[in-house]
Amino acid sequence: MQLWRRYLRISIVWKLAVALALGVVAGLIFGPAIGFVEPVGDLFLRLLSMLVVPLILFTLVVGVSSISAGYLGRIGGKVLAYYLFTATVAITLGIVAALLVSPGEGISLPAEEGEGEAAPSLGEVLLNIVPENPFAALAEGNVLAVVFLAIIVGIALSFMRESGEERLRDLAGSILRLFEGGAEIMFILVRGVLEVAPLGAFALIAVTIGETGAAALVPLALLTGVVYGVIALMIVFYVLLLLFFKVDVRRFFSTAAPPMMTAFVTRSSNGTLPVSMRAAEQGGVREPLYGFSLPLGATINMDGTAVYIGAAVVFTANVVGADLTLGTLVGVVLVGVLASVGTAGVPSAGLVLLTLALNQAGLPLAAVALVAGIDAVLDMARTLCNVTGDLVGTRVVAATEPEMRETPEEMRAPEEPAPA
Ligand code: ASP
């Protein structure tokens, strides 16, 4: 008990960092034999995904009901513009860096053909935002559909609250209290899950490194280097954006570190949502903004994945000795940015998007098979960048909307005591 209390007092960032380092070492030492810890990692993933849908629903309904529809449209426009802008920057940086380094030179394709997976068309994606059955959307964890549902329910509630009929105002008040309570419960649960996160993080990273192994990375070391290098550049780009909008960068990263690490080990932006929402809340962003921008970002904003697609397309062209024209590259940028809209933030989603981009560029899909072997290692960095991008966007939009920021007195302390 004494030990547990002492454990609770250590900052979650440190606990996760130590778990990560130990996981890498264990994976390298034991290789695939470390696979027996996998259930611990899976348990952590389950605990996180258990919280995603109720958290989005509760926070977003409460948030949206407190602002006007027109205002919501304005901040929604800003969030989308930011997401589009950074994704374009990311994929362009990925392409340019790979063109400079030529990571695929000296590698030949394996004999077997890659399996091309079909991604839904943009029209289909947009249509799927409107759920046929809201309960099915909730049960299936369809993030965009849940966001849509929560927004319209929130808008209906705000109409009820302002209605001339007392009965409707009463009802709206009761339902809002219920949802507010639900959101608070979820935040307490997220806090609890974070306390066991180091165990899960250790297991997930050890298994990934154990299975991939350093040997698998060597032939594709240049591609890995380009992807990790450009993602590091993206982080610098985020810092510049934060500075430009006069956001306290240190405070931002001290609250963003837990979701960044969670993204790194879970390789899922969707799964990381509960941790990102908690971080945004601690960073002083209000519910109507983060309740909307983070779930949306987890699905449509994938800067890290965009970097990877840009770099992997150039890599494939190197491998097969194809020349890429400017027109082809522009096509890849467009497809890369648009396709990410329709792909959920789940592990290895980037591989599906890569298939699409290779199709667009007229390159053979066999390269997918080549990259697939090390995909987990690339996915860790991609997802970290994806989640960081969503958080930066949320914070930057909040910087331009005073109503979406909490005053210093209202903000929760970054390390509030854990529930006993
Ligand atoms: N795993 C990434 C995410 O969840 C997507 C990808 O595979 O690039 O954001």
Side-chain angles (χ1 to χ4, degrees), residues 297-308:
T299 315
I300 74 169
N301 184 44
M302 300 186 175
D303 296 348
T305 309
V307 166
Y308 158 81

Side-chain angles (χ1 to χ4, degrees), residues 75 283 405:
I75 54 173
R405 296 196 300 267

